[in-house]
Amino acid sequence: MCVCVSTALQVLLYASRDCLLAGDSCSSDETCSPRLRTLRQCVAGDGSVKLGPGARSQCANAVSALLSSPLHGCQCRRGMKREKNCLSIYWSLHQSGMHGLNLVESYPYEAVEKGYDYVRLASITAESELGMSTVNRCLDAAKACNVDDVCQKLRTEYVSACIKPAGKSGLCNRSRCNKALRRFFDRVPAEHTHELLFCPCSDMACSERRRQTIVPSCSYEGPEKPSCLTVMRVCHADYICRSRLAQFQHDCQPEAQSASGCKQGNYAACLVAYTGLIGSPITPNYVDNSTSNVSPWCSCSTSGNQREQCAEFLDYFTDNICLRNALLTFGNGMDLTPTPSQSERLSPVTDREARHTTAGLVTMDTDQNIASPAMPTQDIENERLWGDSTIPFHTDRNSAHVSAHVCLLVPTCLLLLLLLGSEQ
């Protein structure tokens, strides 16, 4: 009874802050509606020109008036229906809040108030594999996803979208791939998505398969890395990407004096914000298969006199104590509510170093997981992507390995193998 009442109150509380509802309410109000139209002209490129002389004061007056309307303080939810519409209303009021790298004090989405109990996923197969003395969290994460209907369905959808050639070119449909990736990370609980993406690895083969989780060859990689400044401009022009970046900059904001390294002190919120960028123009991922370093697919080599601005953006991923500690804490299986003593033990170590300090959390891969990371073919990428998650739990490992190799050349067969594995 208490749970139902609490849930109902949360729904009502969110509804009172929903930007779509607030926008509808404003549009139907004869006082609020003209001010909202003025504001939209102010932020629509050269829209302020249409307002004529005194446009600046008209815009300022519109913002001032709307700050006392239901629009002020409204929010959106990641992955909601009409998300772009909701975000467009939010950014109409906050258009000047984010230019380049200026950090925002808020963002459109509901805040992550607390962590999550990812420890409950530890070793799904522990009862059936009593002989194992260690836990392979990457393998367990794949199996956990396969026995969860939502996770298995949406993971199958994004993998299919990202490995399927589009037309005679043989290239994938990047837009469709990224849309499916966003759907997966927005709708599947963090207990599953974070274990798949941030599980600790003990060798290069495991690390490479983890890097392939989001299918980099389709989702973001290209012949050459673009300038990070260009990527930032593209992101800023897209309501969803701009909002995800604002959330990331807020929840992963570093603070050297903080015990956790995070200004907000919430590792779980930082990781949720990080995954929100996947499927956007600023999709971050592991840079190689020998460390846990992450970065978006861009560089600052051609940034010229804007190099400082470019480096500041890139450092948010490559030299961010908050993000680094959040990743290490999750990989080490520690509580995501940091304490001073816990934070003092964190340091920038590689996966191999981490496994020596976290006994019993990881194990060497099975014989199926020895694909060479030095072979960048589409077939090998598919094998890393599907890995152990496609193996029926009670099937002989060697025979399943052969089946996986037979299926590598046929994407449809890969999907069937995944579905069979999840039903066993």
Side-chain angles (χ1 to χ4, degrees), residues 72-85:
H72 181 55
C74 71
Q75 293 180 310
C76 305
R77 282 176 289 115
R78 273 175 37 174
M80 68 184 292
K81 291 183 179 179
R82 298 175 64 201
E83 181 180 0
K84 282 189 176 181
N85 290 15

Side-chain angles (χ1 to χ4, degrees), residues 300-321:
C300 293
S301 60
T302 59
S303 53
N305 59 4
Q306 293 181 292
R307 188 173 187 82
E308 183 177 348
Q309 182 187 24
C310 184
E312 186 179 352
F313 165 79
L314 198 56
D315 284 350
Y316 228 87
F317 297 88
T318 61
D319 190 25
N320 184 332
I321 186 174

Side-chain angles (χ1 to χ4, degrees), residues 14 18 32 47 57 67 82 102-103 105 174 186 189 209 213 229 240 247 250 267 283 303 330-331 341 367 387 402:
Y14 171 72
D18 188 319
C32 187
S57 63
L67 287 177
R82 298 175 64 201
N102 294 331
L103 297 179
E105 292 302 321
R174 176 162 293 181
D186 286 346
R209 276 197 321 280
T213 297
L229 296 172
I240 291 180
Q247 183 180 19
H250 181 272
Y267 289 154
T283 295
S303 53
F330 189 93
S341 59
D367 55 354
V402 174

Side-chain angles (χ1 to χ4, degrees), residues 322-398:
C322 176
L323 177 60
R324 182 174 68 238
N325 285 353
L327 292 170
L328 286 172
T329 299
F330 189 93
N332 290 343
M334 297 158 65
D335 187 353
L336 286 186
T337 303
T339 62
S341 59
Q342 186 182 87
S343 301
E344 289 170 2
R345 296 197 301 271
L346 295 173
S347 59
V349 296
T350 65
D351 283 334
R352 293 182 184 80
E353 292 168 332
R355 78 172 187 266
H356 292 303
T357 61
T358 316
L361 287 176
V362 295
T363 183
M364 295 299 290
D365 288 349
T366 61
D367 55 354
Q368 182 184 348
N369 304 337
I370 58 175
S372 169
M375 299 176 64
T377 64
Q378 183 64 47
D379 293 344
I380 292 300
E381 287 179 357
N382 289 343
E383 180 180 14
R384 291 174 187 142
L385 180 65
W386 295 99
D388 291 299
S389 66
T390 60
I391 300 176
F393 296 163
H394 66 272
T395 304
D396 176 75
R397 308 288 291 187
N398 291 329

Side-chain angles (χ1 to χ4, degrees), residues 95-115:
Q95 185 73 20
S96 62
M98 181 182 165
H99 290 291
L101 284 169
N102 294 331
L103 297 179
V104 293
E105 292 302 321
S106 62
Y107 49 84
Y109 300 116
E110 296 175 292
V112 177
E113 300 295 343
K114 58 182 180 179

